[in-house]
Amino acid sequence: MCHFKSWYLDENGYVVKCEKCNYFQVCFGTLMLTLSEMDYQVFVELVARKKEDHIPMNDPNIRCVLLPTPSGLVHGILCERELDQLHKMLQDTDTEMKAQQLIGLFENIH
């Protein structure tokens, strides 16, 4: 049975990681993905690349962004606003995880 550590939570979704099996669960809108650590990193990179490469439309609420996932069989379809929110969610999660790693390093010194 999984025991989740919450890394991010807001009205749009969440990112948690099981402390036993090390799988991530990413929930955003109607999309929920369960990802290995490697697939999670791939997904974070896919979202960042998509955000960087996307050419803005006239209306940020039109669902025109096709977002692949590490499985290759599942894709999300987002509007620009949602892509921005998902990207922010994943970047905030990454920042929080890195901060906890640094704190852990300092705690291990003492």
Side-chain angles (χ1 to χ4, degrees):
M1 181 171 205
C2 286
H3 181 261
F4 291 109
K5 163 120 175 92
S6 179
W7 287 105
Y8 186 92
L9 173 66
D10 74 5
E11 65 277 0
N12 298 309
Y14 63 83
V15 177
V16 296
K17 183 179 181 185
C18 176
E19 294 179 330
K20 292 183 180 183
C21 66
N22 289 321
Y23 272 75
F24 284 85
Q25 190 175 84
V26 177
C27 182
F28 183 80
T30 60
L31 181 67
M32 187 183 82
L33 302 171
T34 301
L35 304 164
S36 67
E37 288 189 69
M38 187 169 74
D39 283 345
Y40 174 77
Q41 292 303 321
V42 168
F43 183 66
V44 170
E45 291 172 19
L46 286 168
V47 171
R49 194 172 318 122
K50 181 61 76 170
K51 177 157 174 41
E52 184 178 304
D53 294 345
H54 180 71
I55 299 169
M57 303 289 286
N58 290 334
D59 184 348
N61 296 309
I62 295 174
R63 287 210 162 97
C64 61
V65 180
L66 184 63
L67 181 65
T69 66
S71 78
L73 301 173
V74 176
H75 292 72
I77 182 101
L78 307 173
C79 65
E80 292 171 10
R81 179 183 43 78
E82 292 168 330
L83 177 61
D84 290 343
Q85 291 168 340
L86 177 59
H87 181 260
K88 181 185 180 318
M89 182 175 89
L90 296 174
Q91 294 307 305
D92 288 353
T93 299
D94 186 56
T95 299
E96 181 65 24
M97 291 173 69
K98 286 178 180 171
Q100 286 296 315
Q101 287 175 341
L102 286 173
I103 289 169
L105 289 174
F106 287 111
E107 288 175 348
N108 290 333
I109 292 174
H110 293 16

